Amino acid sequence: MEQKNSYRAGPDEKGRFGLYGGRFVAETLMPLILDLEANYEAAKEDDAFAAQLEDLQTHYVGRPSPLYFAERLTEHFGGAKIYLKRDELNHTGSHKINNCLGQILLAKRMGKTRIIAETGAGQHGVAVATVAARFGLPCTVFMGATDIERQKPNVFRMKLLGADIRPVTSGAGTLKDAMNEALRDWVTNVEDTFYIIGTVAGPHPYPAMVRDFQSIIGRETKEQMLAREGRLPDTLIACIGGGSNAMGLFHPFLDDGEVNIIGVEAGGFGLETPDHAASLAGGAPGVLHGNRTYLLQDDVGQIIEGHSISAGLDYPGIGPEHAYLRDTGRVTYVSATDQEALEAFQLITRLEGIIPALEPSHALAHVGKIAGDLPANHLLVMNMCGRGDKDVFAVADHLNVEL
Amino acid sequence: MSHHNADSSRIDALFERLKADKEKAFVAFVTAGDPDLEVSAAILAGLPQAGADIIELGMPFTDPMADGPSIQAASQRALAAGQTLKGTLDMVRDFRVSNDTTPIVLMGYYNPIYIYGVETFVADAKTAGVDGLIIVDLPPEEDDELCLPAMQGGLNFIRLATPTTDDKRLPEVLNNTSGFVYYVSITGITGSAAPQQQAVADNIARIKNHTKLPVCVGFGIRTAEQAAAMADIADGVVVGSALVDVIGETAENKAKTAEKVLTLASALAKGVKTK
């Protein structure tokens, strides 16, 4: 039963989280997303669907991911007790696989025979190419030409997995443009194609569906923390581009009022500069890619490219549920700069022997800003949503190291 | 030139006249501000003389998700030239000084209008002399956003029907549609594969079972021959990417751009008018 004053009740029947969300798509796609919604609602009620997903999560992905007490990091900051939710240990190296498995099972259930996806850093693209290989479906991944250049290892991984990579040169050649191109493909190939969106954005039902598939992160965290400490965590922290890892961690805790929840956007060169990807801090509500949400845009409604050291965070929008949680005040949104993320990346690598992706390095940067001022019995959970193998070349570059 | 009062629809008047003359409508699409404000205004001013019955004027947007490479490039050229939504309305106002009969339909995406402010936009568009709106990313499910305010403000809201719009959904799509219905002849983006005449004819017949509104066909129509074939089965034919491509091809030397676009428009209009 949904509580009446629940933060978890959304979206409504129009796909809205308060003002945000909705179904702002071309008519050609409208029957498809209505069909997707009906099929997803049916799948949610189907025990066999749930059982197959759970089996794959256990034996293919390796869930549950550990909730790890980061002892040396805790000592280093000298305050809150820091736990890491280790979703970087998942098969394919990030949380993205949680959602891709759910969606490809839905694609099979709907009889779709071709998969498309967009990717920025390539983590979602790799996860999609992986599940497409596992289920024997042809897969096309749209990726900005700029991102292809800076994410070569992931591009090669996708190719090895059999995916067809389509470079996108329109716009700045990054994630936003890849998503435009994926939508153009979908509108052209409506009969056979399933579009696996990688984050909690896009037209309804994607934001809710991706959230549901990612919520396993938060459900496990709740159970693991109760088992370990006998109570809920005091603070949750996760990085946000589109916001799927954060939504996955946050959602099961939204109605636990005593849990403080913090999302960390990509501050790029700083919020005082034009070069950041903090849609909530530096954007305004608008409509793009099927939903209303906070967008980086100019004063006449043209979209501005985001910037972040992390290709997975430089998207000019954010999931509509985050927009709603910001306006209601339930979740606090902050940002961390490229430089802060880079420092956090090196710190945790040395202290914990964990090389994080640049995306969760932003979350870790914020942990560093607050942990020292919190008492020793304060339980803090940070979502380690991806591992840093893909980023070592980019980091070397930023540190002026020749490989 | 006849004077229309604020509540009469230029679009309705046009289709009544065409019906009486047993003619079909040629709808010419160009993006406002492409390749620059001056040349774009010259193209707009010349289109009625070249045979355009309706002008579909694109409002440039950074992320035109339903458009192919031609119209994406047109948007980028117009934005680079400094075009804004306010500038687009100014173009229409200037056009209306010498032309009070040719309907102008603005086509684009919702975000620039949302940021402009829906109520202000509807009032300003009406005052400028805009007749209708085609907003790609506003399906009937989002009618509260702009469709209903636009209708109240005296603008036609022209909906896209597509091959995926089945009989169950058609009434919903046609409800609150006025002026004409824009049938998207293919599943795809603008400027892609040419439509199959028989399939389009079947779908137009299907739509006409549900509405008395004229049905115009667009997407993928590039030549006078294709336009003629579509004019046989529809009330009007929309051509966009082919015209816009001429602008793109002459972007280096814009002295001849307007003339070349209008020459192609004339040829296309003749295709539509050939009975």
Side-chain angles (χ1 to χ4, degrees):
Chain A
M1 286 283 281
E2 298 283 8
Q3 299 170 39
K4 199 145 194 199
N5 293 312
S6 172
Y7 286 103
R8 304 176 69 216
D12 65 16
E13 72 283 355
K14 291 189 75 183
R16 299 290 180 92
F17 303 91
L19 177 66
Y20 305 102
R23 289 181 283 222
F24 296 88
V25 297
E27 172 59 24
T28 311
L29 292 181
M30 207 48 227
L32 277 75
I33 65 170
L34 292 173
D35 188 39
L36 175 63
E37 182 183 358
N39 276 277
Y40 176 54
E41 290 304 318
K44 273 204 288 193
E45 304 300 318
D46 181 354
D47 290 341
F49 182 87
Q52 192 183 5
L53 183 57
E54 193 186 332
D55 183 69
L56 286 161
Q57 279 162 344
T58 305
H59 302 292
Y60 190 64
V61 178
R63 302 207 72 94
S65 68
L67 183 68
Y68 165 72
F69 170 49
E71 190 177 359
R72 296 196 67 216
L73 207 56
T74 298
E75 274 170 22
H76 177 82
F77 292 126
K81 196 169 180 183
I82 301 167
Y83 282 90
L84 304 176
K85 179 60 174 167
R86 303 283 309 273
D87 254 52
E88 100 280 13
L89 293 177
N90 295 341
H91 179 45
T92 73
S94 83
H95 69 290
K96 293 292 186 186
I97 190 84
N98 302 332
N99 166 50
C100 290
L101 274 177
Q103 287 201 49
I104 203 152
L105 289 183
L106 196 54
K108 292 290 276 189
R109 188 187 161 94
M110 292 173 72
K112 301 292 182 182
T113 54
R114 175 175 177 264
I115 299 296
I116 59 168
E118 84 295 338
T119 197
Q123 290 301 93
H124 175 57
V126 166
V128 171
T130 298
V131 299
R134 167 66 182 76
F135 285 90
L137 293 180
C139 164
T140 299
V141 178
F142 295 90
M143 187 167 186
T146 308
D147 286 339
I148 286 179
E149 198 47 47
R150 57 179 175 172
Q151 300 289 338
K152 282 179 186 160
N154 271 347
V155 173
F156 187 56
R157 286 168 81 194
M158 286 186 275
K159 284 182 179 165
L160 284 173
L161 289 159
D164 172 23
I165 311 297
R166 300 270 178 89
V168 178
T169 52
S170 60
T174 59
L175 180 55
K176 162 178 92 79
D177 311 296
M179 197 152 178
N180 288 334
E181 215 54 41
L183 285 164
R184 290 182 186 120
D185 182 294
W186 200 25
V187 93
T188 307
N189 300 291
V190 292
E191 293 300 328
D192 62 347
T193 298
F194 190 102
Y195 180 14
I196 300 187
I197 291 184
T199 192
V200 286
H204 178 65
Y206 281 101
M209 180 171 72
V210 177
R211 172 201 72 199
D212 293 347
F213 289 137
Q214 291 294 1
S215 289
I216 191 165
I217 301 172
R219 290 197 306 273
E220 285 176 6
T221 300
K222 208 169 203 179
E223 214 170 273
Q224 289 165 322
M225 190 57 99
L226 285 171
R228 182 115 186 203
E229 297 277 359
R231 66 183 179 91
L232 294 179
D234 297 298
T235 297
L236 304 175
I237 298 185
C239 66
I240 299 190
S244 72
N245 91 82
M247 231 27 258
L249 176 65
F250 298 169
H251 193 257
F253 292 96
L254 289 177
D255 287 333
D256 299 313
E258 69 273 32
V259 180
N260 181 33
I261 305 180
I262 302 171
V264 185
E265 294 191 284
F269 296 149
L271 296 187
E272 69 285 1
T273 76
D275 297 313
H276 63 76
S279 318
L280 290 176
V287 173
L288 179 71
H289 292 157
N291 58 177
R292 175 164 30 227
T293 187
Y294 280 80
L295 300 173
L296 298 177
Q297 55 183 323
D298 65 16
D299 58 3
V300 291
Q302 303 294 343
I303 308 303
I304 296 170
E305 299 282 343
H307 161 80
S308 169
I309 189 173
S310 149
L313 300 181
D314 67 354
Y315 177 68
I318 184 167
E321 195 166 7
H322 284 295
Y324 166 75
L325 292 170
R326 169 224 155 103
D327 283 8
T328 56
R330 175 62 187 99
V331 176
T332 304
Y333 293 89
V334 298
S335 68
T337 63
D338 287 355
Q339 191 55 38
E340 289 168 338
L342 208 50
E343 285 162 15
F345 174 98
Q346 296 169 81
L347 181 75
I348 192 171
T349 300
R350 291 291 182 89
L351 285 177
E352 294 288 351
I354 295 171
I355 301 179
L358 282 168
E359 289 81 9
S361 298
H362 287 74
L364 186 67
H366 191 72
V367 170
K369 290 177 195 172
I370 65 170
D373 294 330
L374 295 168
N377 63 354
H378 189 99
L379 303 178
L380 189 156
V381 176
M382 191 209 100
N383 197 12
M384 181 59 79
C385 61
R387 67 178 181 229
D389 307 40
K390 69 182 174 66
D391 291 320
V392 292
F393 297 101
V395 169
D397 206 35
H398 284 286
L399 299 177
N400 295 317
V401 176
E402 289 244 12
L403 292 182
Chain B
M1 198 154 280
S2 70
H3 181 75
H4 288 266
N5 69 51
D7 293 314
S8 81
S9 162
R10 288 187 190 90
I11 298 175
D12 294 346
L14 171 79
F15 280 105
E16 275 164 32
R17 179 175 69 72
L18 290 175
K19 193 174 182 186
D21 295 349
K22 294 194 164 49
E23 273 192 19
K24 303 302 175 70
F26 170 46
V27 184
F29 172 94
V30 288
T31 297
D34 174 31
D36 60 37
L37 307 194
E38 198 185 329
V39 174
S40 186
I43 293 170
L44 192 64
L47 278 172
Q49 183 70 36
D53 297 302
I54 298 176
I55 298 171
E56 188 187 342
L57 190 59
M59 300 176 280
F61 183 48
T62 40
D63 293 80
M65 287 157 293
D67 284 301
S70 299
I71 294 177
Q72 290 174 46
S75 256
Q76 284 171 2
R77 287 191 298 267
L79 291 171
Q83 187 61 301
T84 61
L85 189 47
K86 184 178 174 302
T88 300
L89 295 180
D90 288 344
M91 272 184 75
V92 176
R93 189 178 299 109
D94 291 346
F95 174 86
R96 283 278 171 248
V97 171
S98 56
N99 182 317
D100 194 35
T101 51
T102 305
I104 292 190
V105 174
L106 297 183
M107 177 272 179
Y109 298 80
Y110 183 39
N111 196 56
I113 295 171
Y114 180 68
I115 297 305
Y116 192 102
V118 165
E119 298 299 326
T120 321
F121 170 75
V122 168
D124 290 358
K126 184 71 188 171
T127 307
V130 170
D131 300 286
L133 304 174
I134 298 175
I135 309 299
V136 177
D137 52 356
L138 286 177
E141 281 74 5
E142 304 292 353
D143 268 0
D144 294 345
E145 297 284 334
L146 177 62
C147 175
L148 299 181
M151 286 172 65
Q152 278 161 16
L155 296 174
N156 288 132
F157 200 82
I158 293 143
R159 198 100 65 188
L160 304 173
T162 73
T164 60
T165 312
D166 60 19
D167 278 323
K168 196 166 121 254
R169 187 169 166 77
L170 253 179
E172 197 179 346
V173 168
L174 296 171
N175 182 35
N176 293 336
T177 300
S178 59
F180 61 92
V181 179
Y182 187 137
Y183 181 65
V184 175
S185 59
I186 49 160
T187 58
I189 51 180
T190 52
S192 43
Q196 299 298 315
Q197 191 186 25
Q198 190 54 50
V200 174
D202 293 346
N203 272 305
I204 290 174
R206 194 164 64 85
I207 293 168
K208 292 213 174 241
N209 283 335
H210 293 268
T211 183
K212 289 190 164 37
L213 288 170
V215 180
C216 296
V217 175
F219 280 44
I221 302 162
R222 303 191 63 90
T223 65
E225 291 72 31
Q226 289 172 327
M230 287 298 151
D232 281 345
I233 55 173
D235 300 304
V237 179
V238 188
V239 179
S241 296
L243 291 169
V244 161
D245 279 344
V246 174
I247 302 178
E249 286 155 13
T250 56
E252 298 298 307
N253 180 8
K254 291 184 279 194
K256 295 273 183 195
T257 298
E259 187 191 322
K260 286 186 171 171
V261 171
L262 296 173
T263 302
L264 176 60
S266 294
L268 291 162
K270 285 197 185 77
V272 173
K273 306 292 177 186
T274 308
K275 276 182 242 152

